[in-house]
Amino acid sequence: MKSYMLILSIAISLSISCKTKKATAETSSTNVKQTTMTDTQAAAPKSTGKVSHQYRATGCATVIVITTPDNTITLIPKDKLPDNIDVDGLEISFDYRLLKMHNPVGCNVGIPAAITNIKSGK
């Protein structure tokens, strides 16, 4: 009888301690996520590139070309750029997130991306 009580008390204490650890871990990760979102929202645009219409003949309406010393990235904006930004050769700063979607029909160059926080010029 005493061994059953001992086993039962150990099982209860383990189950309580496991639940406490999970709650603490979830609270910590929630605080980290909120801090990260606030930092991202307050930050200035992180990328710069040029608006280009060089692929219009092949089916890409507008692309943004990011040129770095190592490589060149061509982004296909998911949504149409505002008219004051959609100017061939205009240098813009922006944030982007690559999307897992198909390229528009006839557009074989570039990667679809959601473009946010657009500012013209440097």
Side-chain angles (χ1 to χ4, degrees):
M1 181 76 167
K2 289 183 182 182
S3 63
Y4 289 118
M5 294 297 281
L6 181 63
I7 293 172
L8 182 61
S9 64
I10 291 173
I12 290 173
S13 65
L14 287 176
S15 67
I16 290 173
S17 66
C18 290
K19 289 181 182 177
T20 304
K21 288 181 183 177
K22 286 181 183 177
T24 305
E26 288 174 6
T27 304
S28 298
S29 65
T30 304
N31 291 339
V32 171
K33 287 178 187 174
Q34 290 174 350
T35 303
T36 304
M37 283 195 330
T38 304
D39 292 343
T40 303
Q41 292 170 348
K46 294 177 180 58
S47 302
T48 58
K50 285 190 177 183
V51 176
S52 176
H53 297 152
Q54 69 187 23
Y55 300 109
R56 279 202 170 172
T58 62
C60 293
T62 300
V63 295
I64 300 172
V65 180
I66 302 172
T67 305
T68 63
D70 299 331
N71 61 3
T72 301
I73 301 170
T74 304
L75 301 175
I76 305 167
K78 178 183 151 246
D79 300 318
K80 184 178 179 334
L81 295 176
D83 290 337
N84 62 332
I85 300 292
D86 194 3
V87 177
D88 192 32
L90 179 67
E91 190 162 325
I92 59 174
S93 56
F94 56 93
D95 293 322
Y96 71 93
R97 182 175 49 89
L98 297 178
L99 301 174
K100 294 180 180 179
M101 60 184 282
H102 294 290
N103 287 11
V105 176
C107 186
N108 299 321
V109 178
I111 306 166
I115 309 296
T116 57
N117 200 15
I118 304 171
K119 300 198 184 325
S120 63
K122 281 192 171 183

